[in-house]
Amino acid sequence: MKIIDENGAAIETPDLTLGYLVGGTEPVEHPAVEGVEEVSHYETVTEYPGGGRDVRKVIDVPGVPAQAAWTEQVPVQRYIRYTEEELAEIKESLRTEKLKEVSADCEKAIYAGVDVIFADESQKHFSLQPNDQTNIDGVFNAIVLGATEYPYHADGEPCKMYSAADIVSLYVASKGYITKQTTYNNALRQ
């Protein structure tokens, strides 16, 4: 289908980030056609003894019936450029959607959790869902208040006693990871 701009000029590849297409029609003028009589002659194909013969009609100029001038409405797509105001609204809408996406990605990364390497070189994974963050803060506060060990659990593992040093490692790793993801998110928002 033909695509035309606001001036009626044909466009091969319109930039749909700067405008949009709408359906429409365009008039095409067909001029009047004068009628032409058919001109033909006959040729002998076969002659028979006794005077008979077969003939065929040969058309030298085909006949054309007369036709009045007429206008045809042909379907087209019109390319309409966005106004500066519309482009600004689109940009802001895209920015808002991207910020939501960036925030959701940040939250997803944080909630997925962090791997912590403990003093004995073992590595465990800990989820950082909101309730897990609250639990880790509580466990850390118990150590700050003087506990030398505290029960907690890595993802998919039973609860076990962690030393004060391991609880501090868990707390520092979780807070560092959350800060890293939040800082990255804030940088992307800028």
Side-chain angles (χ1 to χ4, degrees):
M1 182 179 296
K2 183 176 176 183
I3 301 172
I4 58 175
D5 66 11
E6 59 274 359
N7 300 319
I11 301 174
E12 290 296 319
T13 52
D15 185 347
L16 296 179
T17 62
L18 299 177
Y20 57 95
L21 298 174
V22 295
T25 60
E26 176 181 55
V28 175
E29 301 292 331
H30 296 278
V33 176
E34 262 187 59
V36 175
E37 290 286 326
E38 179 181 278
V39 177
S40 63
H41 69 278
Y42 291 93
E43 291 182 350
T44 301
V45 178
T46 309
E47 287 190 36
Y48 299 102
R53 63 182 172 166
D54 290 333
V55 293
R56 73 178 167 130
K57 183 178 181 180
V58 176
I59 299 174
D60 299 316
V61 178
V64 176
Q67 186 172 0
W70 60 289
T71 302
E72 176 183 16
Q73 293 295 325
V74 177
V76 295
Q77 287 189 313
R78 295 185 188 282
Y79 178 64
I80 310 297
R81 290 189 176 276
Y82 291 121
T83 63
E84 290 300 319
E85 293 80 21
E86 289 172 322
L87 285 171
E89 286 176 23
I90 291 168
K91 183 179 178 182
E92 184 57 30
S93 174
L94 290 173
R95 182 181 181 281
T96 300
E97 286 304 311
K98 192 63 174 176
L99 290 176
K100 287 179 185 176
E101 181 183 321
V102 166
S103 290
D105 289 348
C106 176
E107 185 176 271
K108 183 178 176 183
I110 290 171
Y111 291 174
V114 64
D115 291 328
V116 179
I117 300 174
F118 294 107
D120 65 357
E121 301 299 322
S122 66
Q123 180 175 320
K124 305 283 184 190
H125 185 81
F126 294 86
S127 170
L128 293 176
Q129 293 285 329
N131 62 317
D132 296 313
Q133 293 179 44
T134 300
N135 290 341
I136 291 169
D137 288 347
V139 168
F140 178 73
N141 286 335
I143 297 302
V144 168
L145 292 173
T148 57
E149 59 181 7
Y150 208 89
Y152 199 61
H153 61 88
D155 284 5
E157 295 187 17
C159 197
K160 74 173 211 171
M161 294 303 284
Y162 285 93
S163 68
D166 285 345
I167 295 293
V168 169
S169 294
L170 169 60
Y171 181 80
V172 169
S174 68
K175 292 301 178 188
Y177 184 72
I178 292 167
T179 300
K180 176 183 171 185
Q181 292 303 319
T182 303
T183 301
Y184 179 64
N185 179 42
N186 290 337
L188 291 176
R189 295 175 74 80
Q190 295 302 316

